[in-house]
Amino acid sequence: MSETANPGADARRVALFVTCLVDLFRPSVGFAAIKLLEDAGCRVVVPTSQTCCGQPAYNSGDREDTKAIARQVIETFEGYDHVVAPSGSCAAMLKKHYPELFAGDREWEARAQAFSDKVSELVSFLTDVLGVTAVDAKVAGSATYHDSCSGLRELGIREQPRQLLSSVEGLTLTELEDADVCCGFGGTFCIKYPDVSNAIVTKKAKRVKQSGADMLLAGDLGCLMNMDGKLKREGTAVEVRHVAEVLAGMTDAPPIGGKL
C-alpha cells in the first residue's frame, strides 16, 4: 500500500499502521480503514518504510530484536499527529508495550512514550478521538461481533464497534454469546499449543453458529483468520470479515477465505 491523503490542508495528519496480516493477506482492510479515516476528515498517510510492530518477537521473549524493530517504527511514525492501526493487538503493542520496553532507557524512553500517546486502534480512534457516532454505509444482512482479547482487555474496546455497526443501514447486529472469550489464536500461542488452541476455537465456532448471524466480525485479522479456518473446516457458511470493511460499506470483495 502506498501513501495517500485527502486534500483537506487543515485536517489531522494520520499515519496508518497497516499491520503485517492486513498487508499480506487482506489489503482490503487497509483500504477500508483509509476510507473511514478520510470520511472523518483526516489526511491519511501510509508510510512505505513501516515494518512489523515486533509483537511476535516480544511474545517470544526476544527483547533485543523487539527493541530494534520498535526503534524503526518510532522513527517512521513519530512525525505524524496520530498513528492508527486496524488491529487491537498491534495497537496495544505500540501503545502499551513500547513504553515498557524502553523503561529506563535515557535515549528512547521519552520518545517511546510520546509515540505511544499518539497511537489508537481504528474504531476507537473514530469514536473516542474524533467523536464519530455513525457511518455512511449500507450492508444487508445480520452480523455478530467477537471481542478480540488485546483490544478488549488492553485498550477497552467493546462498545465502540457496536455503536458504529448499529448505524450501518440494513445490518442487524446479534450479540455473540461469550463474545469476550478468546478465539484461541493468540499469535504464537496457536503454534506452541495447537491442541489447546483448537479446543478453544471449536467452542467459539459453536457460539458463532448458534448466533444465527450471516457474518462474523472482529477488529483483529489474526482472530478472524483463525475463526474462519475453523468454520470452513466444519462446513459452516458464515462470512467472516474485518469490522472496517462493513463500516466502510466495502463488502464487494469475497469474505476472508472466500473464492475470487
Side-chain angles (χ1 to χ4, degrees):
M1 299 181 66
S2 59
E3 182 169 313
T4 183
N6 80 12
D10 297 327
R12 304 181 194 223
R13 198 160 179 247
V14 175
L16 182 67
F17 186 88
V18 176
T19 81
C20 297
L21 292 181
V22 169
D23 185 42
L24 295 173
F25 295 104
R26 194 72 177 174
S28 58
V29 175
F31 293 113
I34 291 171
K35 181 180 185 300
L36 288 167
L37 292 168
E38 290 186 339
D39 286 351
C42 299
R43 294 178 60 223
V44 184
V45 177
V46 184
T48 56
S49 59
Q50 63 181 286
T51 64
C52 174
C53 67
Q55 187 177 176
Y58 182 80
N59 290 343
S60 299
D62 184 355
R63 294 296 186 267
E64 290 309 308
D65 281 333
T66 305
K67 286 182 179 180
I69 294 169
R71 292 187 191 100
Q72 194 273 344
V73 171
I74 293 170
E75 289 173 341
T76 299
F77 284 89
E78 63 186 343
Y80 298 97
D81 298 328
H82 299 277
V83 180
V84 174
S87 162
S89 61
C90 294
M93 179 67 194
L94 301 174
K95 191 170 188 67
K96 297 293 185 179
H97 298 293
Y98 273 23
E100 298 170 359
L101 191 65
F102 290 106
D105 186 319
R106 293 179 61 183
E107 179 182 359
W108 283 92
E109 183 175 16
R111 288 179 71 176
Q113 187 61 58
F115 164 80
S116 71
D117 289 343
K118 300 179 180 183
V119 173
S120 298
E121 182 272 342
L122 173 65
V123 177
S124 176
F125 180 71
L126 293 170
T127 57
D128 300 334
V129 178
L130 298 183
V132 175
T133 59
V135 294
D136 183 15
K138 183 176 181 179
V139 178
S142 60
T144 193
Y145 190 87
H146 164 73
D147 296 295
S148 300
C149 294
S150 292
L152 176 66
R153 293 170 176 82
E154 294 190 278
L155 301 176
I157 300 167
R158 187 186 186 283
E159 298 305 324
Q160 299 94 323
R162 290 168 172 82
Q163 176 186 5
L164 295 186
L165 286 168
S166 69
S167 71
V168 176
E169 184 181 350
L171 185 70
T172 301
L173 189 61
T174 301
E175 193 62 32
L176 179 67
E177 187 176 352
D178 295 331
D180 60 347
V181 174
C182 179
C183 74
F185 176 61
T188 56
F189 173 85
C190 67
I191 299 173
K192 293 179 179 178
Y193 307 102
D195 292 340
V196 177
S197 175
N198 183 60
I200 295 172
V201 76
T202 297
K203 293 180 180 179
K204 179 63 67 172
K206 180 180 178 180
R207 297 303 190 200
V208 172
K209 287 182 283 187
Q210 289 174 339
S211 75
D214 303 322
M215 288 185 290
L216 170 63
L217 309 177
D220 264 288
L221 191 53
C223 300
L224 288 164
M225 292 171 65
N226 184 49
M227 293 184 290
D228 178 72
K230 185 62 178 180
L231 290 166
K232 290 286 193 300
R233 291 192 295 275
E234 294 184 348
T236 304
V238 175
E239 288 193 4
V240 180
R241 294 185 181 274
H242 192 285
V243 65
E245 296 175 298
V246 172
L247 294 178
M250 297 172 63
T251 57
D252 291 338
I256 295 170
K259 295 181 179 179
L260 294 174

Coordinates of all heavy atoms in Angstrom, one line a residue, residues 7-8 67 118:
P7 N -7.6 16.0 0.4 CA -7.0 17.3 0.2 C -7.2 18.3 1.3 O -6.7 19.5 1.2 CB -7.8 17.8 -1.1 CG -9.0 17.1 -1.0 CD -8.7 15.7 -0.4
G8 N -7.8 18.0 2.4 CA -8.0 19.0 3.4 C -6.7 19.4 4.1 O -6.2 18.7 4.9
K67 N 13.3 -4.4 20.4 CA 13.7 -3.0 20.6 C 14.2 -2.5 19.2 O 13.9 -1.3 18.9 CB 14.8 -2.9 21.6 CG 14.3 -3.0 23.0 CD 15.5 -2.8 24.0 CE 15.0 -3.0 25.4 NZ 16.1 -2.8 26.4
K118 N 0.2 8.8 20.8 CA -0.4 9.1 19.5 C -1.2 7.9 18.9 O -1.9 8.1 17.9 CB 0.6 9.6 18.5 CG 1.4 10.9 18.9 CD 2.4 11.2 17.8 CE 3.2 12.4 18.1 NZ 4.1 12.8 17.0

